[in-house]
Amino acid sequence: MGYTSRKINEDSWLIQCDSHVSMYLIEGKEKALLVDAGMEKENLAEYCRTLMDRPVFCVLTHGHYDHIGRCGEFAVVYLDLKDRDLYDQHRSRPFLQQSDPCCKATDELLEMKKEYDLGDHRIISVPLPGHTPGSVVLCDMKQHAVFCGDAIGSGCGVLMTAGLGSLPLNEYAAGLSQAIDELERLGVDDDWQFYGGHYGQHHASRVGDPNLPCLQMMKDMRILCEEMEAGTATIRESIKELPFGKAKETIGIHGCAELQLLTDL
Ligand SMILES: [Zn+2]
Ligand SMILES: [Zn+2]
């Protein structure tokens, strides 16, 4: 299939690929910002040029392999450098290498900026540590859109596992509190559209179909973390066979928030 895309608003495209990763290209008057870089076989920079002709720079929502694979095709790449170690581990993962030997991340990462100016667009990054230490959400102040990567999941629950660098639940709860405050200060409300880092997952939700990310999901997630910490959450536990061995899976639900916690046995 390669890449497919569709406009999600006047200035932005959703780019999808075989590995079910969602990327977003936001076109400003002077330049364009690409949210995440997937892990596909096909050249992503060339694909972006088929959509528009502005210079493109890349901002990574976090350092996981499925979001960084082709960022080396862009001259300027930003990441919250709290994810730098994770990025370095994941860029050399065998399945990223197998995906395409040319699929290469870059050595030259720049520290995440607070604000990106695209000419007529301001994009503001807000830290939301939890899924990874350096996870961020990106707010498009013109189009009232929030690109949230994997920070609150893409509809069927945020994945939290120490094996992929996730933080303890109490730190995620604190990150959510700060991020909600900051987003509300920026004017984000229930009318803003949230766009996750994967597609199709919102139909696999346990609480609604579709269950799309939103501001309320962040608020419910904060409560869910606190309830799971206190042992009062509605949870379901099972043992999962995963490629790297068996793990205990705990699913917690509160309101529209879902959280999948994987812990070693
Ligand atoms: Zn992901
Ligand atoms: Zn991730």
Side-chain angles (χ1 to χ4, degrees):
M1 171 179 110
Y3 299 110
T4 57
S5 59
R6 65 178 167 84
K7 277 267 180 108
I8 54 170
N9 59 46
E10 200 183 323
D11 305 305
S12 311
W13 287 263
L14 160 64
I15 302 174
Q16 297 177 325
C17 57
D18 293 337
S19 46
H20 284 248
V21 180
S22 296
M23 294 159 279
Y24 301 90
L25 183 64
I26 308 164
E27 182 184 15
K29 215 157 84 183
E30 291 165 13
K31 48 194 165 180
L33 187 161
L34 176 71
V35 180
D36 287 340
M39 53 178 287
E40 287 311 292
K41 292 185 173 59
E42 291 81 14
N43 188 301
L44 181 58
E46 274 175 22
Y47 186 77
C48 290
R49 280 193 289 275
T50 67
L51 298 176
M52 44 100 250
D53 57 6
R54 304 276 190 274
V56 181
F57 66 98
C58 183
V59 180
L60 301 170
T61 58
H62 63 299
H64 279 162
Y65 64 93
D66 50 334
H67 298 259
I68 65 173
R70 300 209 71 100
C71 70
E73 293 167 5
F74 300 89
V76 178
V77 182
Y78 295 93
L79 174 75
D80 184 323
L81 295 181
K82 287 195 269 318
D83 269 11
R84 176 80 216 214
D85 290 347
L86 193 64
Y87 173 95
D88 286 335
Q89 287 165 27
H90 279 222
R91 63 186 291 191
S92 52
R93 285 204 150 198
F95 32 98
L96 193 51
Q97 299 301 310
Q98 281 161 15
S99 161
D100 179 358
C102 305
C103 195
K104 67 176 174 59
T106 182
D107 289 331
E108 293 177 36
L109 288 171
L110 297 175
E111 176 64 289
M112 182 70 62
K113 292 204 297 184
K114 192 69 222 153
E115 183 169 330
Y116 301 91
D117 182 1
L118 308 184
D120 54 345
H121 269 55
R122 278 195 316 144
I123 310 293
I124 295 181
S125 74
V126 174
L128 178 39
H131 176 71
T132 67
S135 287
V136 300
V137 302
L138 298 164
C139 302
D140 180 338
M141 302 303 291
K142 183 179 172 193
Q143 296 289 354
H144 288 191
V146 178
F147 301 95
C148 53
D150 291 350
I152 54 170
S154 295
C156 69
V158 61
L159 173 64
M160 299 291 287
T161 172
L164 290 173
S166 300
L167 299 175
L169 292 185
N170 62 332
E171 292 182 36
Y172 184 32
L176 284 158
S177 286
Q178 286 194 357
I180 292 164
D181 287 350
E182 196 168 341
L183 291 177
E184 290 189 330
R185 265 201 306 276
L186 291 170
V188 176
D189 61 25
D190 292 330
D191 292 331
W192 285 50
Q193 292 290 317
F194 278 54
Y195 296 97
H198 295 270
Y199 63 93
Q201 296 186 347
H202 52 281
H203 295 299
S205 164
R206 299 158 193 89
V207 299
D209 181 8
N211 187 27
L212 292 165
C214 58
L215 185 62
Q216 186 61 44
M217 186 178 283
M218 293 176 67
K219 294 176 178 175
D220 287 345
M221 193 73 80
R222 177 179 52 189
I223 296 169
L224 175 58
C225 288
E226 288 162 1
E227 287 180 349
M228 287 178 79
E229 283 273 284
T232 57
T234 305
I235 58 164
R236 202 178 67 200
E237 289 182 335
S238 60
I239 305 300
K240 278 265 191 204
E241 288 277 2
L242 297 166
F244 44 87
K246 283 187 178 174
K248 185 170 97 170
E249 180 193 62
T250 307
I251 303 280
I253 292 172
H254 179 93
C256 64
E258 300 169 64
L259 189 150
Q260 180 192 21
L261 178 66
L262 292 179
T263 43
D264 291 338
L265 282 174

